[in-house]
Amino acid sequence: MKFTPTTILPLTAMLLLAAGCSSTVASIDPGKYDKMSCAELNSALGDTATDISRTAIARGKVANTSVPRWLLGGERVKTVVANRDTARIEKLQQQQQAIVAARRQKC
């Protein structure tokens, strides 16, 4: 595939859009998990695992994107998006650990 400015610009716009639209994870409140039933905890655990997988896949796609050298700042954008996804995965893993701890006590 031949890379021209008209093919690279949509890719760059997509990366910037993904960087701006990535949602942040709310702070972890173990107290809210104490109020949940076992079924709700299981569901929350599954949702968190799904979010971790989805974010890891997106991070991998961004990290493996080939950015041409002439595209100024392209590598930096790629790095920023990958780092943001890594931070989100770490927060999700902390949330998952809190859910597992609450489930271990309750169920």
Side-chain angles (χ1 to χ4, degrees):
M1 179 178 191
K2 184 177 175 184
F3 289 109
T4 63
T6 56
T7 60
I8 296 300
L9 290 177
L11 175 64
T12 305
M14 185 178 72
L15 284 173
L16 291 173
L17 183 64
C21 293
S22 61
S23 62
T24 58
V25 178
S27 62
I28 300 166
D29 180 20
K32 75 177 182 179
Y33 299 125
D34 293 336
K35 299 173 186 174
M36 296 174 110
S37 69
C38 288
E40 290 172 328
L41 287 170
N42 289 337
S43 177
L45 188 60
D47 291 343
T48 305
T50 301
D51 288 343
I52 290 171
S53 296
R54 185 177 299 128
T55 305
I57 290 168
R59 179 184 61 185
K61 286 180 181 178
V62 168
N64 290 328
T65 300
S66 177
V67 179
R69 281 181 262 167
W70 59 263
L71 184 60
L72 299 176
E75 282 295 322
R76 194 171 89 201
V77 169
K78 185 172 106 169
T79 302
V80 167
V81 173
N83 289 343
R84 184 175 294 167
D85 285 344
T86 299
R88 183 165 190 258
I89 288 170
E90 290 170 358
K91 288 179 184 178
L92 285 167
Q93 287 173 336
Q94 290 174 356
Q95 184 179 3
Q96 189 177 40
Q97 290 170 356
I99 294 169
V100 168
R103 194 174 79 160
R104 193 174 292 137
Q105 288 178 349
K106 193 169 202 168
C107 302

